[in-house]
Amino acid sequence: MRASIRRYLTPPRHPPTGRSHDRRASLLNPHSAAGQVFLLQVAIVVLLVVTAVAALLLQAANDALQQGRRESVVAAQAFASAPDVVQAFRSRDPTAVLQPRAEAARKRAGVDFIVAVNTEGIRYTYPYPEEIGKKFVGTFEPALEGRTVIEQAGGPPLPAGKGTAVQAVVPVTDSRGTVVGLVSAGITVKNVARLWMPQLPIILGAGAAALVLATTGTTLVSRRLRRQTHGLAPAELAQMYEHHDAVLHAVREGVLITDADGRLVLANDEAQRLLGLPAAAQGRHVRELGLPEQIGRLIMSPEVVTDEVHLAEDRLLAVNKRPTFPHAVQDGSVVTLRDTTELAAVSGRAEVARERLKLLYGAGVRIGTTLDVTRTAQELAEVAAPQFADVVTVDLLDSVLQGSELTAEGWRHLRRVATSGEHRLLPVFRVGEVITYLPGTPQMRTLPEGRGVLEADLRQAHGWQAQDPDRAREALERGLHALVTVPLRARGVPLGVANFYRAGDSPPFEPEDVSFAEELAARAAVALDNARRFTREHAMAVTLQRSLLPRGQPDQDALEVAWRYLPAEAGVGGDWFDVIPLPGARVALAMGDVVGHGLHAAATMGRLRTAVHNFSTLDLPVEEVLGHLDDLVVRMDNEESTGNATEGHDGEGVTGATCLYAIYDPTAGKCTMARAGHPDPVVVNPDGTVTFSDAPASVPLGLGGHPFETAELHLPEGSQLVLYTNGLVEDRTRDPDVGLDTLRRALDGAAGRTAEETCQAVIDALKPAHSSDDIALLVARTRLFPPSCVAQWDVPSDPAVVPSVRAHCTEKLREWGLEDSGFTTELIVSELLTNAIRYASPPVTVRLLYGHCLICEVSDGSSTSPRLQRATTMDEGGRGLFLVAQFAQRWGTRYTPQGKVIWAEQSANDGASAATGHTPVDVLLEQFGDPAL
């Protein structure tokens, strides 16, 4: 409106709507002053440009012609003065001598031709050989007299083109001054023009710049004229004032114009209505109009006013005041009045709505940042307090916190999970308390109804007070006065309730606040249900993962082991490990990592761990175990990719796995290992030094067809072998190299620690605050079999030595205090040794190992393995291995590079029961031969 008044007082700077005055059209219109000035400027500029171009062209052409003449004279004189030119002219065949020299000189000098001519004008040379011998075109007579001739003449075609040439003719004189011939050199006119053509763009560019400057100057002049005349004719100006007058009295904004003496010059219809001015108010002094005191004083004051609100009867008027001409010393003023009575009420409601939308947006950003149920509930409470309520509490079902499936049972028992706001000053239930709500409370009403419940005045809320009268009375005394309770629902089943309280001077809740609270709770419920589902899946995956990992340490004598498994916060992965006792007191250590997280990774890990157990039972070399695992992973990936997975599976393939497999032999102190993409294990030597094993790093499992390299370490007794997955040393906030350095520092000084102490020290040093990947750690402290517990005999290939070997074994058992196992051991050694001597090849060796069990081993140089057979009653043999299998706890065969080893294990603590508790040998033999078996 102020802009309209300004246009009313001063002529407008732009024409009114309805008649277009395009500036470019005005500039080109020859009937306008601007158009005439522009055309005159263009004519002057074009004339100057044409004149300058012509002068420069002439000057450039003249300079180029003079340069061409100089170059022609120089080229001709240089050739004429060259050595042996006189002799060439006097030779029998001047053309043969001068033609190649002339062409070479022409190319060096950059001219178009160099022609040698005799004194009669006949050419000896020319760029084109067919022109040699013809008459020279041009004036050459003065040159015969010893002068230089420069002229423009035509001639035969040249390599540069046919046309007029600038040529110079100079004489060739001998030592006595006699002219023996002439030399002419020249440049065609076209080539001369090429010397000044590069100057033409500069000339034209200067002309274009001058034209642009002329256009710019004319445009500025045109704008100045338009500002001075406003681009209007007198009739148009009168029509414009009529339009402004009509607008002035039609707008819904009051306008008062006063002069320097304070008399009213103009008041539109809206100003008369708002202020109740009389009809004859124009021309009267402002004090005589009976205006409200504040508005009258404001109009008379010289101050500038912007959007001041004043009360006029029952209206709120927004007043603005500006001088009519700001640069005048004494002048009147313009006052605008706007009725804001209804706008104030609407603006208040709009501001509330804006704040609510802002709060909902903040809830979408801040609620659900994690997949933790308790944290999500706390985020809801923190978002709503104090922006929407003074105190916010969130109560959830225990099944939500545990990740269980939702049911309608147990609604009355809710656990306080989160609070925010002024809860410390009010007597509300604390976090962690279980609240048993009564049926009449707002919480129990909102759960089955599925909608919010409003208690605008808690003094009248008898159901709320009945829940805990003493606490309710104290809360009312401290100012708690309003409550909105809304359900937290997901998939139609409530998760809990959210309670919004107001206290003190805060206004009571209104019905529209319930809708807002329901919308806020609905957004939070989605995040809570996502967190509940994650909690459930995470708990299931952790349970599955832990059930697939070792639950206790196996009985073995080779290693002292300790381990840790820490699942990731975002879901368990496929990290696993195992300690597997092997024949011959050896122990296999396995550790792997399946790519991915969740149930699929845990299930895949279980399959791989089971496969390792099966392969270790076959007592395969470490590289063959990894090779079989690689084939298994490839088959598993192929099953996923070809759609053979079970229905409902998410379809994710294994996509990769790493594994480290090692076998430690305590009798030799050797550890053989191979790793498929797995981190290099760390070795802590007995002297405290920490090194990496440097085992060759082969490709991860699942790539197929790649060999796996092995490494053999000699570990003294008391060494510690540390196996781990990459989650221990890698993290989103930590570089792997930094993690490895930290691991090395954590293992410094671990030589005197137990495996359990070392394991805990590593976890304390490297466990991240928020783990994004699983962590598996296995520490194995080595032991060596004492020589006193090992007995070994080399046996000749003679059955007669078997009794003596049995006698040696009996004596050794007597030294170990295992007399009760003597009979069983003699039988096992006798049967195995007899088979080796009879059916195998030397060398044959018998070894006894005494640890937590008694191990009998018979090795030979043959790769054939005996099999348990079914002997009939009349068979003379085939019962030896049957007896071994009956008396031994376990037996089997393992292959070595030198042959094979047949082993049998017996319990070292219950030898008597083993000897007496078994079925007699005769009875066993009779059962073995029974056809019914």
Side-chain angles (χ1 to χ4, degrees):
M1 187 61 208
R2 290 193 295 271
S4 300
I5 299 304
R6 185 62 53 86
R7 288 195 297 268
Y8 184 85
L9 297 175
T10 60
R13 299 178 183 271
H14 303 287
T17 304
R19 181 170 183 177
S20 174
H21 289 266
D22 185 46
R23 294 181 179 179
R24 288 177 294 180
S26 175
L27 188 65
L28 299 177
N29 187 2
H31 299 288
S32 65
Q36 293 173 359
V37 171
F38 176 70
L39 294 178
L40 179 61
Q41 292 271 10
V42 170
I44 293 174
V45 169
V46 170
L47 178 61
L48 292 176
V49 168
V50 171
T51 303
V53 168
L56 290 175
L57 288 177
L58 292 175
Q59 181 64 34
N62 183 62
D63 293 344
L65 186 60
Q66 294 298 326
Q67 181 180 355
R69 289 183 176 183
R70 288 194 298 271
E71 291 180 359
S72 300
V73 171
V74 170
Q77 287 180 348
F79 187 82
S81 302
D84 300 331
V85 171
V86 175
Q87 289 80 356
F89 271 96
R90 291 176 174 174
S91 64
R92 293 183 178 181
D93 190 358
T95 298
V97 178
L98 293 175
Q99 175 67 10
R101 296 178 62 180
E103 286 302 298
R106 174 179 69 84
K107 294 177 181 178
R108 287 194 304 270
V111 295
D112 291 335
F113 63 89
I114 294 179
V115 180
V117 183
N118 61 13
T119 54
E120 297 178 358
I122 303 301
R123 302 189 189 100
Y124 284 161
T125 66
Y126 200 78
Y128 295 125
E130 58 269 16
E131 299 296 330
I132 297 175
K134 296 182 180 180
K135 188 71 173 182
F136 175 75
V137 179
T139 304
F140 61 90
E141 288 79 5
L144 296 175
E145 299 175 0
R147 297 196 301 271
T148 299
V149 179
I150 302 174
E151 63 177 348
Q152 291 181 337
L158 294 169
K162 186 176 181 181
T164 304
V166 177
Q167 61 184 14
V169 182
V170 299
V172 179
T173 59
D174 56 10
S175 57
R176 293 176 296 181
T178 305
V179 177
V180 298
L182 305 174
V183 174
S184 174
I187 301 176
T188 61
V189 174
K190 181 173 64 175
N191 290 348
V192 172
R194 190 166 61 246
L195 298 176
W196 52 262
M197 282 297 290
Q199 303 181 32
L200 186 59
I202 300 176
I203 299 171
L204 296 179
L211 186 60
V212 170
L213 291 175
T215 304
T216 303
T218 304
T219 302
L220 295 176
V221 171
S222 174
R223 290 182 179 179
R224 182 63 181 270
L225 292 175
R226 288 177 62 83
R227 284 198 298 269
Q228 292 179 351
T229 62
H230 305 293
L232 295 174
E236 294 173 337
L237 189 60
Q239 185 179 11
M240 181 194 67
Y241 278 111
E242 292 176 359
H243 291 167
H244 283 190
D245 187 67
V247 171
L248 181 66
H249 292 283
V251 295
R252 291 292 304 275
E253 187 170 353
V255 179
L256 297 175
I257 301 178
T258 61
D259 59 14
D261 297 331
R263 295 185 177 277
L264 185 63
V265 177
L266 183 142
N268 67 348
D269 297 342
E270 183 67 10
Q272 292 181 354
R273 184 184 70 83
L274 294 177
L275 299 177
L277 298 177
Q282 189 169 344
R284 298 172 59 181
H285 200 276
V286 172
R287 299 192 189 92
E288 303 173 0
L289 300 178
L291 298 177
E293 181 179 358
Q294 290 183 348
I295 295 180
R297 186 169 59 253
L298 184 147
I299 295 175
M300 294 300 298
S301 69
E303 298 178 356
V304 175
V305 175
T306 300
D307 287 336
E308 284 191 7
V309 179
H310 295 274
L311 182 63
E313 296 182 355
D314 58 346
R315 296 187 178 92
L316 289 176
L317 301 181
V319 182
N320 291 273
K321 179 185 176 185
R322 296 289 187 276
T324 52
F325 293 99
H327 301 291
V329 178
Q330 291 184 351
D331 205 348
S333 61
V334 178
V335 178
T336 61
L337 309 169
R338 186 172 66 255
D339 190 353
T340 62
T341 306
E342 296 180 359
L343 181 61
V346 174
S347 298
R349 291 193 294 270
E351 180 65 20
V352 172
R354 187 184 69 82
E355 292 296 330
R356 295 289 170 81
L357 289 175
K358 182 179 178 180
L359 185 57
L360 285 177
Y361 173 78
V365 173
R366 295 173 55 188
I367 298 177
T369 58
T370 65
L371 290 173
D372 182 78
V373 174
T374 302
R375 181 56 193 163
T376 303
Q378 185 63 37
E379 289 170 347
L380 167 61
E382 292 174 354
V383 165
Q387 290 86 348
F388 176 67
D390 297 313
V391 179
V392 179
T393 63
V394 179
D395 305 331
L396 299 178
L397 299 169
D398 280 339
S399 58
V400 177
L401 298 174
Q402 298 168 2
S404 305
E405 283 297 328
L406 303 178
T407 63
E409 300 177 0
W411 286 1
R412 291 182 57 190
H413 305 287
L414 299 175
R415 186 178 298 275
R416 179 63 46 86
V417 177
T419 59
S420 183
E422 300 297 330
H423 59 279
R424 297 175 182 173
L425 305 178
L426 299 174
V428 296
F429 291 96
R430 302 302 176 186
V431 173
E433 293 187 53
V434 177
I435 308 171
T436 303
Y437 285 106
L438 299 177
T441 57
Q443 289 80 5
M444 286 298 99
R445 289 161 51 196
T446 190
L447 280 173
E449 294 176 4
R451 58 182 180 83
V453 174
L454 170 63
E455 295 289 354
D457 187 0
L458 289 178
R459 296 184 182 275
Q460 306 300 324
H462 302 292
W464 175 77
Q465 296 180 22
Q467 175 67 34
D468 191 337
D470 295 336
R471 195 188 299 265
R473 182 174 57 258
E474 184 179 357
L476 293 174
E477 291 174 356
R478 295 190 181 185
L480 206 66
H481 60 79
L483 166 66
V484 170
T485 299
V486 293
L488 297 168
R489 301 175 63 88
R491 296 182 295 138
V493 179
L495 307 174
V497 295
N499 307 301
F500 304 93
Y501 296 93
R502 284 187 178 175
D505 298 333
S506 300
F509 287 113
E510 298 180 358
E512 56 266 24
D513 294 326
V514 178
S515 300
F516 172 78
E518 290 176 342
E519 177 66 22
L520 186 62
R523 299 192 179 198
V526 174
L528 284 171
D529 190 50
N530 290 338
R532 180 197 65 81
R533 288 168 174 265
F534 171 78
T535 301
R536 179 170 179 265
E537 181 179 346
H538 182 71
M540 293 173 59
V542 169
T543 302
L544 175 61
Q545 180 86 338
R546 293 193 183 277
S547 67
L548 295 175
L549 292 175
R551 299 189 179 183
Q553 295 192 11
D555 293 333
Q556 47 86 25
D557 302 313
L559 298 169
E560 174 195 348
V561 295
W563 58 69
R564 294 289 187 276
Y565 170 72
L566 303 177
E569 291 184 356
V572 299
D575 293 12
W576 62 277
F577 59 90
D578 214 337
V579 180
I580 308 171
L582 297 178
R586 298 169 303 140
V587 175
L589 300 176
M591 179 163 286
D593 186 0
V594 177
V595 175
H597 293 83
L599 293 175
H600 182 259
T604 303
M605 176 274 294
R607 298 176 66 180
L608 294 181
R609 180 170 179 255
T610 302
V612 170
H613 266 275
N614 294 334
F615 296 144
S616 65
T617 302
L618 300 176
D619 212 345
L620 300 175
V622 292
E623 67 273 13
E624 292 188 23
V625 171
L626 292 184
H628 288 300
L629 283 179
D630 185 49
D631 294 338
L632 176 61
V633 174
V634 171
R635 289 197 302 271
M636 293 166 63
D637 277 333
N638 291 337
E639 290 175 1
E640 297 289 347
S641 61
T642 56
N644 293 332
T646 58
E647 185 177 358
H649 196 277
D650 56 8
E652 296 180 359
V654 178
T655 68
T658 66
C659 183
L660 184 146
Y661 187 71
I663 296 178
Y664 174 69
D665 186 353
T667 61
K670 293 191 306 183
C671 180
T672 305
M673 67 175 63
R675 59 190 182 105
H678 202 79
D680 194 15
V682 182
V683 178
V684 182
N685 297 302
D687 59 358
T689 58
V690 180
T691 60
F692 287 90
S693 68
D694 292 332
S698 302
V699 298
L701 302 177
L703 298 181
H706 293 274
F708 296 96
E709 300 182 47
T710 62
E712 186 174 286
L713 305 179
H714 291 274
L715 301 178
E717 186 172 12
S719 300
Q720 297 189 42
L721 187 63
V722 181
L723 311 181
Y724 55 92
T725 56
N726 57 0
L728 182 69
V729 296
E730 294 182 16
D731 191 69
R732 287 176 294 185
T733 61
R734 182 173 57 195
D735 188 81
D737 293 336
V738 177
L740 291 175
D741 291 339
T742 306
L743 175 61
R744 185 191 295 272
R745 290 195 300 270
L747 292 174
D748 285 339
R753 301 174 184 168
T754 64
E756 181 66 29
E757 291 172 346
T758 301
C759 195
Q760 188 60 46
V762 171
I763 290 297
D764 293 341
L766 287 124
K767 179 184 177 182
H770 301 284
S771 177
S772 60
D773 194 7
D774 287 14
I775 295 176
L777 173 66
L778 176 63
V779 178
R781 185 182 180 90
T782 61
R783 300 168 180 160
L784 289 179
F785 245 74
S788 60
C789 294
V790 180
Q792 182 172 327
W793 301 275
D794 295 330
V795 181
S797 297
D798 185 1
V801 300
V802 174
S804 62
V805 175
R806 288 202 303 265
H808 290 311
C809 292
T810 302
E811 182 180 355
K812 180 58 68 172
L813 292 178
R814 188 178 299 110
E815 292 179 10
W816 292 339
L818 301 177
E819 295 86 351
D820 294 336
S821 301
F823 173 76
T824 305
T825 305
E826 285 184 15
L827 187 147
I828 292 174
V829 171
S830 179
E831 292 297 334
L832 297 182
L833 184 57
T834 302
N835 287 340
I837 294 174
R838 180 177 297 178
Y839 302 111
S841 58
V844 178
T845 303
V846 176
R847 187 173 70 165
L848 296 181
L849 300 175
Y850 174 40
H852 76 283
C853 64
L854 180 61
I855 303 173
C856 301
E857 295 181 345
V858 176
S859 60
D860 57 61
S862 174
S863 61
T864 59
S865 175
R867 294 179 298 171
L868 191 64
Q869 299 179 356
R870 184 182 298 275
T872 62
T873 305
M874 301 304 294
D875 290 341
E876 295 183 0
R879 297 178 179 86
L881 286 181
F882 175 76
L883 294 175
V884 172
Q886 291 297 320
F887 284 101
Q889 288 183 331
R890 294 193 308 158
W891 77 280
T893 304
R894 75 172 185 270
Y895 295 94
T896 65
Q898 294 78 24
K900 68 176 181 296
V901 177
I902 302 178
W903 55 269
E905 291 184 0
Q906 307 172 68
S907 175
N909 300 320
D910 55 351
S913 62
T916 61
H918 285 293
T919 307
V921 178
D922 295 338
V923 177
L924 291 173
L925 293 176
E926 292 176 359
Q927 292 178 353
F928 189 83
D930 191 349
L933 291 179

